Amino acid sequence: MSIIEVKNVNKIYSTSEVKVHAVRGVELNINQGEFTAIVGPSGSGKTTLLNMIGGLDDVTDGNIFVDGTDITQLKDSQMIDFRMKYIGFVFQAYNLIPVLTALENVEFIMSLQGVNKKERRQRSIKLLEAVGLGDRINSRPSRLSGGQQQRVAVARALASKPKFVLADEPTANLDSVSTNTLLEIMKNLNEKEGTTFVFSTHDSRVIEKAKRVVTLEDGKIISDVTK
Amino acid sequence: MKEIILIAWRNLWRNKRRTLITVSSIFFALFYAILMKSFQLGTYNLMLDNTVTQYTGHLQIQDKEYFDNPSVDYSIPFTDEITNILDRCNKIEYYFPRIQTGVLASSGANSKVGTVMGVNYDIETKLTGLNNNVVKYYLDSNKINSIIRNYDVYNAEILLQFSEKYFNNKFDLTKELDAAGFDTTKNMQQIFDVMQMPLVRYKKYGNDVFIGYKLSQYLELNQGDSIILIGQGFEGTNAVGKYKIVGLLNFPIDQMNRNMIYMPISTAQEFLSAYRVNGYDTVYYVNFIAINTKYQVSMRMADYNRLLTLKTDLENKLDNDMLTVIGWRNLNEGIIETIQVGNSKGLIFIFILYLVISFGILGTVMMLLSERKKEFGMMLALGMRRKILALIISLEMIFMTLVSAFSVFIVTAPILILGSRHPYKLHGNTAEQLSKMNMEPLLKFQTIDFYILDQVAVVLVIVLLILIYAIVKISKLNVINSLKS
Ligand SMILES: Nc1ncnc2c1ncn2[C@@H]1O[C@H](COP(=O)(O)OP(=O)(O)O)[C@@H](O)[C@H]1O
Ligand SMILES: [Mg+2]
């Protein structure tokens, strides 16, 4: 069964001068346990598409079903709750609350969900160990490298036990070693834990690691290849 | 919740300078507001209390015509009937009949308009400390020369600073001389003897008078000399009298130094022929009877309204169409106006201060919001509710306000307590200015009360408004735009 169903979605940004048709009639189904890369040149609509799937941005028309719920029908406050419960996010940068340590950052989203303290702590430590940061749990983001910060972000995204993780160009700011490490960690989690990842990139080394590659151009899907 | 408090608390330390600016803005707003208001209230209340309690009384019993036409002819009989009513009223602390009338005071070729105050010296001493205003020491160039000639004083020229000054009983001369750098270890007794005014010995029911020292200077009269008073007596009689000056007076209020002539009320009654003979009885008249009550004198209407109840009550008991009872607000319109003008000036100042400080705080909050825009976007994207975001900002503001309020309390409490217990006596120019405005040159603070806390409330409302601004901003935050910013 598809965890994400994008049905004939369009997105038009209208400013006072121009209208930009950022996403055009996209149809996309993503199943539980997939490891999908959305690729395409800059401006092709990757961020827009992911934002709409994550409920961060409205669709102009069309529908998006997440685990059977049409999220285009949710109100702002319902959407916020929905995101917290079902979707994990990793952004390109600025992922972490700067005044909290790595551990506290991972725990925080669980405390919003009302998970008890003991379970929070155990799960956070386990997640940070899984991303290879067992020894940096008490560091604040400013003391971590960019790659380490992105790994904390992955751990944080998984903390709420989401249905899937959306990552918009998670490696854009990383060097090749960190990029590799992050991708290995994500892939590992996908294979071992069955975590569904949808991430965008225009980096060919990252594309190689994906099991399914959806290519966008001018807001349209021009190819969809599963290896 | 614990996490949220933690985030808010740590956020304070993120940009220490901004936190410090905000905290000190709130601190200064509170500090100035409290100090200003406390000083204003304290000084005004002191001024009011002094004038009302000592000169007009809280209430006055007058002839109906006297208020508009304060002539001797509208005097009232001072009878047992009236004193019985006053004695029986437990809201009244004491009362003092007065004669207060304009006269021409003269000596030789000089003459000047003055005010005769017919008083009971005992009550006056208790009430206004009249005896403390009696001039005790006086220096002029003759006396200074004689000190230099006769005593072994090496820095006697310091005394020149004290020349032509009239020191009343309240004055601590040794301390003042010390402060001026005069050697007070030697010959002080002799120097005091030279400076001292001739010993004042007045008879309680005698006919001797005290006059303001400036009046004495103008008329070139000294203690022991005679002063001639000419005025309009009761029922068309001429009032003329010649009285011995037993003492000079130095009041904190300058106007009084220029025109006051104090005499026993019986002397004033004789001087003005303020009596009527009915057969064997003689009824003596007074201009008015001043009454001091147990109620506090203040600008608050609630206090005054209580007094007005007593006023009506007294009027009913007196049951005399010719008499009326007047409250201090009507008797002191000048002072009330001064206070109100002062208040509104103070209000303008405080308003400008609040405006400046509001923009200061608003600026730091706007900076904070734009700095954290991305972070807010991320938090919202992760599923943090706007309410919680607003709560974090609110907690930050509350922490900063609490820190400010606490420091203000620590700093101002001792100032207010000290300043209210020990009014600070002003010297020099300011003192003279105030004295010319007929105000006592005293700085007094009012301890914290409801009327000071209303300023604190204003500051809190400002903080609250800025907080609401921040919350509105957060509630309008667009996740996508914030993330992209
Ligand atoms: N808020 C916006 N207003 C107007 N146009 C936008 C906005 N966001 C994105 N776009 C436009 O939509 C198109 C797709 O952008 P985006 O989804 O960011 O592409 P990508 O992530 O693949 O680089 C671009 O042409 C971009 O300029
Ligand atoms: Mg993009």
Side-chain angles (χ1 to χ4, degrees), chain A residues 13-15 20-23 40-49 57 168-169 200 202 216, chain B residues 480-481 484:
Chain A
Y13 290 112
S14 6
T15 57
V20 181
H21 210 145
V23 169
S42 181
S44 57
K46 303 183 293 292
T47 298
T48 305
L49 181 60
D57 209 350
D168 187 16
E169 309 219 24
S200 72
H202 57 257
L216 281 181
Chain B
I480 298 287
N481 290 341
K484 279 185 182 158

Side-chain angles (χ1 to χ4, degrees), chain A residues 141-160:
Chain A
S142 57
R143 313 295 301 269
L144 298 172
S145 73
Q148 289 171 326
Q149 286 183 33
Q150 291 305 79
R151 285 191 260 154
V152 176
V154 170
R156 197 264 325 274
L158 294 172
S160 55

Side-chain angles (χ1 to χ4, degrees), chain B residues 46-290:
Chain B
L46 182 72
M47 187 165 106
L48 257 185
D49 194 66
N50 276 348
T51 320
V52 172
T53 310
Q54 302 182 357
Y55 301 107
T56 63
H58 300 182
L59 293 171
Q60 270 185 21
I61 304 177
Q62 294 184 355
D63 184 279
K64 272 215 155 70
E65 298 293 324
Y66 186 81
F67 188 80
D68 295 321
N69 193 354
S71 127
V72 193
D73 285 339
Y74 298 114
S75 298
I76 57 168
F78 188 54
T79 61
D80 290 349
E81 217 181 315
I82 295 178
T83 55
N84 281 341
I85 290 169
L86 297 181
D87 286 338
R88 256 185 270 123
C89 177
N90 61 3
K91 299 277 190 299
I92 292 176
E93 290 225 306
Y94 46 85
Y95 52 89
F96 41 107
R98 279 231 166 117
I99 281 180
Q100 190 175 321
T101 187
V103 293
L104 194 69
S106 67
S107 90
N110 299 329
S111 54
K112 196 180 175 299
V113 174
T115 303
V116 159
M117 292 287 275
V119 300
N120 176 320
Y121 281 148
D122 282 345
I123 293 183
E124 208 62 30
T125 293
K126 251 195 291 181
L127 198 63
T128 62
L130 185 67
N131 59 333
N132 285 329
N133 292 325
V134 174
V135 173
K136 192 171 176 193
Y137 299 110
Y138 170 68
L139 264 181
D140 59 15
S141 43
N142 286 336
K143 287 180 173 180
I144 293 170
N145 284 335
S146 105
I147 291 172
I148 295 173
R149 242 182 290 113
N150 295 324
Y151 304 107
D152 169 30
V153 179
Y154 74 94
N155 51 0
E157 63 284 357
I158 288 174
L159 292 177
L160 286 171
Q161 295 171 30
F162 294 85
S163 180
E164 303 291 324
K165 288 228 165 104
Y166 292 75
F167 299 112
N168 62 24
N169 256 329
K170 275 186 277 191
F171 215 74
D172 187 343
L173 191 56
T174 315
K175 210 168 124 194
E176 291 288 322
L177 287 174
D178 238 3
F182 186 77
D183 177 11
T184 50
T185 55
K186 268 186 288 179
N187 303 318
M188 269 323 277
Q189 198 48 55
Q190 286 87 338
I191 291 166
F192 278 155
D193 287 346
V194 174
M195 291 177 76
Q196 186 138 22
M197 299 287 283
L199 205 60
V200 179
R201 217 178 254 122
Y202 66 88
K203 283 177 255 138
K204 204 186 272 183
Y205 301 105
N207 286 330
D208 300 333
V209 302
F210 290 88
I211 71 173
Y213 79 88
K214 288 206 168 161
L215 181 62
S216 84
Q217 279 178 317
Y218 186 86
L219 297 176
E220 294 171 17
L221 289 172
N222 261 321
Q223 195 170 314
D225 294 346
S226 295
I227 186 170
I228 293 160
L229 305 176
I230 303 162
Q232 166 85 59
F234 199 42
E235 297 178 323
T237 56
N238 284 328
V240 181
K242 187 172 177 180
Y243 302 96
K244 189 173 151 200
I245 302 168
V246 282
L248 303 182
L249 298 167
N250 185 357
F251 296 99
I253 293 173
D254 210 45
Q255 176 70 20
M256 298 178 71
N257 293 323
R258 263 181 265 129
N259 64 7
M260 280 301 172
I261 301 151
Y262 273 76
M263 59 172 69
I265 195 158
S266 53
T267 307
Q269 283 164 334
E270 288 295 337
F271 170 60
L272 298 168
S273 313
Y275 52 83
R276 267 190 195 142
V277 182
N278 301 327
Y280 297 107
D281 285 338
T282 305
V283 179
Y284 283 93
Y285 280 66
V286 295
N287 288 154
F288 57 81
I289 302 166

Side-chain angles (χ1 to χ4, degrees), chain B residues 14 49-50 107 120 233 322 345 355 368 398 402 406 419 426 433:
Chain B
R14 257 168 95 174
D49 194 66
N50 276 348
S107 90
N120 176 320
M322 300 300 288
K345 272 189 204 155
L355 210 65
L368 179 152
I398 289 168
L402 283 180
F406 184 71
L426 291 168
Q433 289 292 323

